[in-house]
Amino acid sequence: MSEGTMQRAAQRDDRAQGAPSAPSRRWGGDQRAKRLRRALVCAAAVPAVLVTAACSSDSGDDKGTVDASASPSTGSGSGQASASASPTVRAAAYRTLPAPCAVLSKGTLADLVPKGVKSGKEGGSDDISTRSSCSWSSLDNNGVKGSQFRWLNISLLRFDSDATRGSGDEQAHTYYAQQVKDAQAVDGAKNTEVQPVTGTGDEATAVRYDLKKKEGAFKQQTVVARVENVVVTVDYNGAGLAGEKTPDAGDLTKAAQRAVKEVAASVAAANGKGSGAGSATTTPAAPTKSASASSPKSASPSKSASGAASKPPSPKASPLQASAAKN
């Protein structure tokens, strides 16, 4: 607003309030004009101050807004990093395997392979802590009266827990199921029977069948058991040769079940646990007082986990067994 405009405004105010004598009007008008000019100058200065303050305030608000938005971003990033962390799995209960040719007592071997207690032959393995096997053969030769043949093989396969493949128990269960399925799909098998086995590990199944070979009629028993993260497979067969009577399948099955229970107990003992003959308890993710808890090192991938679908090392069968397998 110009100074002339302010004067005219002051004069309009004077006229509106009544016009006094000329000298008085001139002096009073001058005084009021001066006061009004000072007021208007101050009034004109106030918006500039307010604008400056407003700008400063806006600048502060903008900065506060950025900081506020930055803080949730940091929190979100931290939460995202936590959410994207690798999932954890239960630690495997068992970290090693027993010596395969020492998993059965001499008494049990004397009953199953009476003429082959000391014939145990360990199968080849690149890591006996994850996979191993041992086989025995027995030929009770009675001359012209014939002979009784027995063949026993023990296979063990251990699975470590892995974030990609899952817990050792889960991998072992998958392999266990496949072993049972394979035992029922043998070429030439007759009279196949499948039955559950109680009191051995977490789950166990017996598969038995008849197999006719040129040497004689063989009675085959395969018992598969899962003891937490370890799968035990017992193959046991018998035959009466050269006129000797064929062994009873029920007796052979009982003997094979006895063997698998001893092997399960040996697995537990090799890991400093109690007997593995009974039903085992699954280990939770958090450390507990459970006997099946183990060191976190067992959660690292192992050769057994990477080869979970592969079969245990082939046993070294006796010459008679090898001949029977070819026919």
Side-chain angles (χ1 to χ4, degrees):
M1 182 181 296
S2 66
E3 188 172 332
T5 303
M6 289 188 290
Q7 290 178 345
R8 286 194 294 273
Q11 293 173 355
R12 284 196 300 272
D13 291 341
D14 290 343
R15 287 194 294 271
Q17 294 176 4
S21 60
S24 176
R25 181 173 62 245
R26 184 169 57 251
W27 182 87
D30 291 342
Q31 292 298 323
R32 281 194 294 272
K34 291 179 180 178
R35 287 197 298 270
L36 182 58
R37 282 198 299 272
R38 285 196 298 268
L40 291 176
V41 168
C42 292
V46 170
V49 174
L50 292 177
V51 169
T52 302
C55 291
S56 299
S57 176
D58 290 344
S59 176
D61 290 345
D62 289 344
K63 181 177 180 181
T65 303
V66 172
D67 290 343
S69 62
S71 178
S73 175
T74 302
S76 175
S78 175
Q80 183 177 1
S82 176
S84 62
S86 299
T88 58
V89 294
R90 278 192 311 277
Y94 298 130
R95 297 181 57 193
T96 190
L97 295 175
C101 293
V103 292
L104 298 177
S105 66
K106 291 184 178 179
T108 297
L109 287 173
D111 289 341
L112 272 66
V113 285
K115 297 298 181 178
V117 174
K118 297 181 179 181
S119 67
K121 295 182 179 180
E122 187 172 337
S125 172
D126 56 355
D127 184 358
I128 60 174
S129 70
T130 58
R131 57 176 66 234
S132 62
S133 68
C134 189
S135 61
W136 297 259
S137 62
S138 172
L139 183 62
D140 187 2
N141 191 345
N142 297 311
V144 295
K145 294 182 179 180
S147 303
Q148 284 291 331
F149 173 75
R150 299 290 185 274
W151 182 77
L152 171 67
N153 182 75
I154 306 292
S155 296
L156 303 99
L157 189 60
R158 183 180 66 83
F159 296 83
D160 276 342
S161 295
D162 181 81
T164 301
R165 286 176 285 270
S167 70
D169 286 10
E170 293 169 343
Q171 296 176 69
H173 170 74
T174 300
Y175 182 76
Y176 159 83
Q178 187 60 51
Q179 285 287 85
V180 173
K181 183 178 179 180
D182 290 346
Q184 301 176 60
V186 175
D187 291 340
K190 303 292 184 182
N191 305 318
T192 301
E193 295 182 19
V194 181
Q195 62 186 59
V197 177
T198 60
T200 303
D202 295 274
E203 49 190 339
T205 301
V207 180
R208 73 185 191 188
Y209 52 85
D210 299 335
L211 202 59
K212 185 69 174 179
K213 296 292 182 179
K214 67 178 183 179
E215 292 85 359
F218 286 78
K219 297 290 185 178
Q220 170 71 35
Q221 278 64 226
T222 297
V223 183
V224 186
R226 180 179 70 83
V227 188
E228 303 238 27
N229 59 308
V230 175
V231 177
V232 177
T233 303
V234 173
D235 288 302
Y236 183 51
N237 65 41
L241 308 177
E244 181 65 285
K245 67 178 181 179
T246 301
D248 180 73
D251 292 341
L252 294 180
T253 300
K254 289 179 181 178
Q257 291 179 4
R258 173 185 173 184
V260 81
K261 288 183 180 181
E262 280 195 26
V263 177
S266 294
V267 171
N271 288 272
K273 315 294 182 183
S275 173
S279 178
T281 302
T282 302
T283 307
T288 68
K289 295 183 180 180
S290 170
S292 59
S294 65
S295 169
K297 291 183 179 179
S298 64
S300 60
S302 72
K303 294 179 181 178
S304 70
S306 62
S310 62
K311 294 183 178 180
S314 300
K316 297 179 180 179
S318 66
L320 181 58
Q321 178 66 19
S323 174
K326 292 179 180 180
N327 294 286

